[in-house]
Amino acid sequence: MVQILDGKAHADRMLEEVRASVEARKAAGSRVPSLAVVLVGEDPASQVYVRNKVAACARTGVRSIERRLPAAATAAELDDLIHQLNSDPDVDGILVQLPLPKHLDAKAVLRRLDPAKDVDGFHPVNQGLLFQGQKGMRPCTPSAVMNMLKAYGVEMKGKRALVLGRSEIVGKPMALMLLEEHATVTIAHSRTMDLPGLCREADILVAAIGRPGFVEGAWIKPGAVVVDVGINRVEDLALGEKIFAREPRKLETLKAKGGVLCGDVRYGEASQVAGAITPVPGGVGPLTIAGLLANTLQACEAREAR
């Protein structure tokens, strides 16, 4: 029987660890860690993410700071805000919620963050530290995934790992972290030749390509560990009938509500073959926010140690 890698349960454990550490800091008279979230514009999905992050701060005792700018904000206005937060001794972590409005250069904005406060782990300095295997802020999602794999006792040393997706947010850092655990890692993407064949060789498959139901159950090596990072909303019934053939409840929800969430992997098919798998929702999604709060605590402690 396939093992379900419960990301929500593990995220709850991570958040509880952060809460306990914050409480210990309070008892010792130390400063409470603080996270500043910068939101530009009114993107609905971004507002949901920000609300979830604020709720996680409240749950753990981390101080939450929100800074909002209108969608028409200039690069200079955003630069000024980031400079203020970089200089504020009471701010430990800064997160610039992506995506930004199209007239703003996200990479240029992220480069202006103080690397020590870059709790998303996207600054070139932190990416370089990860590349060299040194300590630094690491991207929340892959870092939390690694935390979960270790907690579930997933053996990585010597295993063949395939990371499907090459983004700087998940794919590339995920591959580097798996390499640190001595896995033999391949990075693939939608243009990779014989992608199904590569997937069938993987002992560990991390899907982060952003295409609903892209990975079929027939692509999975029997007994493999499947980590589905994708979070997609499907509204097309024809597509749903194709990718939810083994998930009648998902198909029923799609028909009844006009949309349903799914990952990059066809869960109903893959769960019949895999040894362990993350569900969507309830898998990797909750880990990202838990990783963010863990990074904020780490940033606070690192700043005090300097």
Side-chain angles (χ1 to χ4, degrees), residues 9-71:
H10 187 66
D12 287 342
R13 288 192 290 271
M14 290 179 66
L15 291 173
E16 176 56 27
E17 289 173 2
V18 173
R19 188 201 65 77
S21 295
V22 172
E23 286 299 317
R25 291 179 61 82
K26 287 181 181 178
S30 298
R31 188 171 53 81
V32 171
S34 61
L35 171 64
V37 178
V38 177
L39 179 62
V40 184
E42 304 292 334
D43 180 77
S46 291
Q47 294 197 59
V48 171
Y49 294 147
V50 169
R51 284 199 298 270
N52 290 340
K53 289 162 186 172
V54 170
C57 284
R59 177 176 172 180
T60 57
V62 171
R63 179 182 171 222
S64 176
I65 303 167
E66 287 187 63
R67 294 291 183 265
R68 294 175 179 259
L69 291 174

Side-chain angles (χ1 to χ4, degrees), residues 34-211:
S34 61
L35 171 64
V37 178
V38 177
L39 179 62
V40 184
E42 304 292 334
D43 180 77
S46 291
Q47 294 197 59
V48 171
Y49 294 147
V50 169
R51 284 199 298 270
N52 290 340
K53 289 162 186 172
V54 170
C57 284
R59 177 176 172 180
T60 57
V62 171
R63 179 182 171 222
S64 176
I65 303 167
E66 287 187 63
R67 294 291 183 265
R68 294 175 179 259
L69 291 174
T74 64
E77 289 172 325
L78 183 53
D79 284 350
D80 286 344
L81 175 56
I82 290 175
H83 177 71
Q84 293 172 21
L85 296 173
N86 281 341
S87 304
D88 190 336
D90 291 328
V91 172
D92 297 296
I94 305 170
L95 180 148
V96 178
Q97 182 63 49
L98 303 178
L100 292 172
K102 292 183 179 180
H103 68 283
L104 297 172
D105 183 341
K107 288 188 176 182
V109 170
L110 295 174
R111 283 197 298 270
R112 293 184 179 91
L113 293 176
D114 178 349
K117 296 186 178 186
D118 167 39
V119 287
D120 253 340
F122 295 161
H123 192 283
V125 167
N126 287 320
Q127 291 180 338
L129 289 171
L130 171 59
F131 183 83
Q132 293 184 347
Q134 298 185 40
K135 289 184 179 180
M137 289 293 105
R138 297 193 165 193
C140 302
T141 300
S143 182
V145 166
M146 295 299 293
N147 191 313
M148 180 183 67
L149 291 176
K150 292 176 183 178
Y152 274 99
V154 174
E155 179 61 54
M156 291 173 266
K157 184 177 180 180
K159 300 295 183 179
R160 294 186 121 184
L162 177 68
V163 178
L164 181 52
R166 50 184 169 176
S167 74
E168 295 173 3
I169 296 173
V170 178
K172 292 177 181 178
M174 188 83 247
L176 289 170
M177 291 181 201
L178 285 164
L179 277 172
E180 285 185 331
E181 296 301 320
H182 310 294
T184 300
V185 183
T186 300
I187 298 180
H189 44 83
S190 59
R191 298 181 185 179
T192 298
M193 295 180 64
D194 190 22
L195 189 52
L198 273 180
C199 290
R200 292 188 195 102
E201 296 176 356
D203 301 303
I204 301 169
L205 173 63
V206 180
I209 200 169
R211 294 176 63 175

